């Protein structure tokens, strides 16, 4: 059985423009990303419960195409603003300013990308639950739905 790659595969390194959206598509964006350079997941309660899988980019690499009027802001400090769709509740992206990230940043929820094959993308797991941010593991992503089709 063929396991055809999607229009956007990350098996080839390098930045590409990806499109993404929330579940109801009220919030839409595009971003220039290189997931092969690494992504991250945190075990804090917010990230775990919202299934956040992020990649950090400079603000100039992120473009909000639609939905500014329906964006909510969940932030614990000025260092980070988690933006979500007030219509469907999906946490789409975040932005803020952290010196350890090089200053101004934008973080894209990879779970919100449309038609992206992220198989093989490196994922670093960090301990945000205990506020240490220490690495606690790493792996490469395997999409269980694509893997099941290929079996």
């Amino acid at each position: 059985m063929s396991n055809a790659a999607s229009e956007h595969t990350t098996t080839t390194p390098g930045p590409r423009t990806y499109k993404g959206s929330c579940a109801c598509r009220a919030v839409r964006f595009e971003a220039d990303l290189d997931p092969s350079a690494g992504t991250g997941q945190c075990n804090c309660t917010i990230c775990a419960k919202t299934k956040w899988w992020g990649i950090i980019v400079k603000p100039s690499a992120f473009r909000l195409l639609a939905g500014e009027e329906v964006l909510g802001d969940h932030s614990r400090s000025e260092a980070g603003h988690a933006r979500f769709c007030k219509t469907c509740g999906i946490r789409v992206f975040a932005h803020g300013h952290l010196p350890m990230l090089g200053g101004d940043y934008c973080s894209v929820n990879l779970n919100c990308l449309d038609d992206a094959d992220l198989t093989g993308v490196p994922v670093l797991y960090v301990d945000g639950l205990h506020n240490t941010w220490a690495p606690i593991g790493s792996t490469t992503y395997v999409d269980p739905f694509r893997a099941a089709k290929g079996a």
Side-chain angles (χ1 to χ4, degrees):
M1 180 183 285
S2 169
N3 189 7
S6 71
E7 176 181 312
H8 299 288
T9 180
T10 56
T11 55
T12 305
R16 297 172 188 224
T17 300
Y18 291 85
K19 291 190 181 290
S21 62
C22 62
C24 71
R25 299 203 34 85
V27 177
R28 294 188 311 280
F29 66 90
E30 65 180 19
D32 303 323
L33 310 172
D34 181 4
S36 70
T39 66
Q41 289 191 22
C42 167
N43 66 348
C44 78
T45 55
I46 293 171
C47 290
K49 290 178 182 277
T50 62
K51 298 298 183 204
W52 181 264
W53 178 18
I55 185 168
I56 305 292
V57 297
K58 289 293 183 188
S60 61
F62 179 85
R63 294 164 300 281
L64 184 63
L65 302 176
E68 187 168 358
E69 70 282 357
V70 296
L71 282 175
D73 185 350
H74 179 271
S75 53
R76 292 193 249 181
S77 73
E78 284 302 310
H81 298 270
R83 305 306 299 268
F84 64 94
C85 174
K86 291 190 283 186
T87 303
C88 67
I90 299 297
R91 187 173 164 205
V92 183
F93 68 97
H95 61 89
H97 182 90
L98 287 170
M100 73 263 312
L101 295 178
D104 290 340
Y105 74 92
C106 187
S107 181
V108 175
N109 185 351
L110 294 172
N111 286 315
C112 291
L113 296 183
D114 298 329
D115 301 320
D117 179 2
L118 299 173
T119 301
V121 167
V123 183
L124 175 66
Y125 298 93
V126 297
D127 187 9
L129 182 63
H130 301 101
N131 209 28
T132 69
W133 305 102
I136 55 177
S138 64
T139 190
T140 55
Y141 177 72
V142 175
D143 183 329
F145 300 105
R146 289 183 193 271
K149 284 182 183 178

